[in-house]
Amino acid sequence: MSRGGGTSSRVLYERGLRVIPGGVNSPVRAFRAVGGVPVVFERGEGAYLIDVDGRRLLDLVMSWGAMILGHAHPAIVSEVEAAVRGGTSFGAPCPDEVKLAEHICKVVPSVERVRMVSSGTEAVMSAIRLSRAYTHRSKILKFKGCYHGHADSMLVRAGSGVATLSLPDSPGVPPGAAEDTLVAQFNNLDAVADLFDENQDNIAAVIVEPVAGNMGLITPNHGFLEGLQSLTSERGALLIFDEVMTGFRVGPSGAQGLYGITPDLTTFGKVIGGGFPVGAFGGRAEIMDQMAPAGPVYQAGTLSGNPIAMRAGLTTLEHLTDPAVYEALESRSYALVDALANEAKNAGVALQTSVVGGMFGFYFAEHTVNSWEEAETCDRERFASFFHGMLEAGVYLPPSPFEACFISTAHGDSEVEYFQIAAGSVMKTL
Ligand SMILES: *Cc1c(COP(=O)(O)O)cnc(C)c1O
């Protein structure tokens, strides 16, 4: 008898295994990090998901951050219904893509032009092509533990010790695609400066998650993002903020607004699609106008700027213009994390936590966590027990110790209470 999903989830998962590799359409959904049967969901309602066995679970994944207004928000449902009646794809310009682009350019000052794509992966892939074309350089510097989608050149971690010898993370990525990717430790500016010295005039861009949300949640040390900005501008490279996760989640103009940094290019995804497959990349006009058809850098998409997706994204962003929304999200995140920390303390369990806007993270560790190297040493087995205990108590956490948790405007005081009671009972069993 394995843990996780109930009888109907198991039946569907087993059917899925016969026709879908590993039974899922994105690896972390398969519960490999925590064991057991993945939960199959029927529908969502505000802060809750209802699984195919009829269990109602408090959702702290929220489609990996995308559902910032909660599931099936009435305004999104009615706008999308209306949009669908007008036809679902034109393969030609539509009004909402212009409005969404105008909205993004207005609230994110570093973005003067923006191109819509259909996923965060595509946004990053295109921003990298653009930065190479613009600088006439080939190398890209990324940070260990930062995720930038699954394009070949981004599926790379640091080789042991010698960061300049990058190895692909996945079979099928040719060494040639990986060798132009340099990897440094997150929050370590000296490592970045060294890589610039070793690769004189050859680094096109530094790409970073300004708040790292794909290795748990790690905030940038004071001066780290500022240092990246000055190093890139001194060395003639571009600074790309990958805000696929943080954009419109940690503040009205993303992490760049929060920390006061002006990147050259920014990638978006998740929240800007309002639950539909959308990504975008944008930046200074002079750089973005290198994109076809304004310039020579090719990029295209049959469903880019899809009218339904644009309506959902635009409606979502229109609900996020008041900074008070983010203050409320952040205080709710703190309430959840404080509840968790208190219950851990009462149970004598070592826990590290962090919060930024509508996202938070926690590690079962004795020491603070500032990089992948430190995240990696957290207690994964304890996380798996906690995960399954919480699931049984009615709370759906990300099924991996290296993912952030996400809330929505639908998460209120009663959800904090529900969460605290669950966490209290489970911490005692660890
Ligand atoms: C989710 C994510 C991506 C990839 O976006 P997809 O829409 O899943 O392709 C890229 N970068 C960051 C920071 C992300 O969190």
Side-chain angles (χ1 to χ4, degrees):
M1 180 60 207
S2 59
R3 303 170 298 173
T7 313
S8 303
S9 282
R10 171 192 296 278
V11 168
L12 280 160
Y13 177 56
E14 282 169 2
R15 277 171 58 188
L17 280 172
R18 280 179 229 122
V19 285
I20 302 170
V24 293
N25 282 309
S26 198
V28 78
R29 297 179 196 171
F31 276 32
R32 291 290 163 87
V34 293
V37 174
V39 185
V40 179
F41 291 104
E42 183 85 55
R43 64 197 169 84
E45 240 172 44
Y48 296 87
L49 283 172
I50 292 90
D51 74 6
V52 290
D53 290 287
R55 262 194 317 177
R56 189 176 153 88
L57 303 173
L58 174 62
D59 187 7
L60 290 171
V61 181
M62 299 312 287
S63 192
W64 304 100
M67 308 311 296
I68 198 164
L69 301 180
H71 296 288
H73 187 280
I76 305 288
V77 171
S78 71
E79 286 296 328
V80 164
E81 270 174 7
V84 166
R85 273 185 225 108
T88 55
S89 183
F90 312 140
C94 71
D96 284 338
E97 70 185 352
V98 179
K99 292 185 205 165
L100 182 55
E102 284 172 348
H103 186 100
I104 294 171
C105 292
K106 192 172 109 198
V107 300
V108 186
S110 73
V111 177
E112 294 172 343
R113 302 255 201 284
V114 59
R115 168 66 54 88
M116 301 295 166
V117 294
S118 300
S119 70
T121 294
E122 255 188 278
V124 168
M125 195 178 79
S126 310
I128 283 172
R129 182 179 306 144
L130 173 59
S131 65
R132 285 174 164 156
Y134 181 80
T135 58
H136 305 285
R137 296 174 175 187
S138 54
K139 294 194 187 291
I140 303 292
L141 194 159
K142 77 177 284 288
F143 295 92
K144 193 169 185 185
C146 282
Y147 179 64
H148 302 293
H150 63 90
D152 281 355
S153 68
M154 290 291 98
L155 282 184
V156 175
R157 62 181 156 218
S160 56
V162 192
T164 45
L165 293 180
S166 298
L167 298 170
D169 268 346
S170 166
V173 175
E179 87 195 1
D180 281 331
T181 305
L182 310 171
V183 185
Q185 186 184 44
F186 191 76
N187 270 331
N188 184 345
L189 271 181
D190 291 342
V192 178
D194 289 349
L195 285 171
F196 268 109
D197 288 342
E198 288 160 23
N199 294 273
Q200 288 294 349
D201 301 332
N202 211 1
I203 298 180
V206 171
I207 184 166
V208 66
E209 287 182 71
V211 172
N214 285 288
M215 47 173 158
L217 180 65
I218 299 181
T219 53
N221 283 347
H222 188 70
F224 177 60
L225 298 175
E226 290 82 352
L228 293 182
Q229 175 145 53
S230 33
L231 273 169
T232 48
S233 75
E234 281 159 22
R235 310 294 184 107
L238 299 183
L239 178 61
I240 306 174
F241 267 17
D242 182 351
E243 298 228 40
V244 170
M245 184 179 276
T246 53
F248 303 99
R249 170 143 294 273
V250 300
S253 46
Q256 54 196 271
L258 209 58
Y259 297 102
I261 307 287
T262 308
D264 298 293
L265 292 173
T266 304
T267 54
F268 299 98
K270 300 192 169 103
V271 170
I272 64 158
F276 284 80
V278 178
F281 61 104
R284 283 207 307 280
E286 160 227 355
I287 305 173
M288 287 302 291
D289 284 346
Q290 295 297 307
M291 296 306 300
V297 182
Y298 197 70
Q299 182 277 329
T302 303
L303 293 177
S304 296
N306 172 269
I308 314 306
M310 294 296 101
R311 183 69 62 87
L314 184 61
T315 309
T316 300
L317 296 197
E318 284 170 352
H319 281 75
L320 299 170
T321 51
D322 185 351
V325 173
Y326 290 98
E327 284 159 28
L329 276 173
E330 186 162 275
S331 68
R332 224 27 79 51
S333 298
Y334 271 110
L336 288 162
V337 152
D338 290 347
L340 190 64
N342 277 333
E343 297 303 334
K345 198 167 164 229
N346 292 342
V349 169
L351 190 78
Q352 305 295 325
T353 61
S354 50
V355 171
V356 184
M359 55 198 280
F360 66 91
F362 61 92
Y363 300 94
F364 290 106
E366 307 270 353
H367 52 82
T368 57
V369 176
N370 274 307
S371 64
W372 169 253
E373 289 76 357
E374 287 166 351
E376 216 179 15
T377 63
C378 73
D379 189 337
R380 301 169 197 214
E381 273 167 38
R382 186 168 255 190
F383 177 87
S385 308
F386 183 68
F387 171 87
H388 281 289
M390 291 299 275
L391 189 57
E392 268 164 41
V395 178
Y396 188 63
L397 291 167
S400 159
F402 304 116
E403 301 287 355
C405 301
F406 303 92
I407 63 165
S408 74
T409 53
H411 289 67
D413 291 339
S414 53
E415 282 69 36
V416 174
E417 205 177 308
Y418 184 103
F419 177 76
Q420 176 147 20
I421 293 167
S425 66
V426 179
M427 283 290 182
K428 281 186 222 125
T429 67
L430 296 182

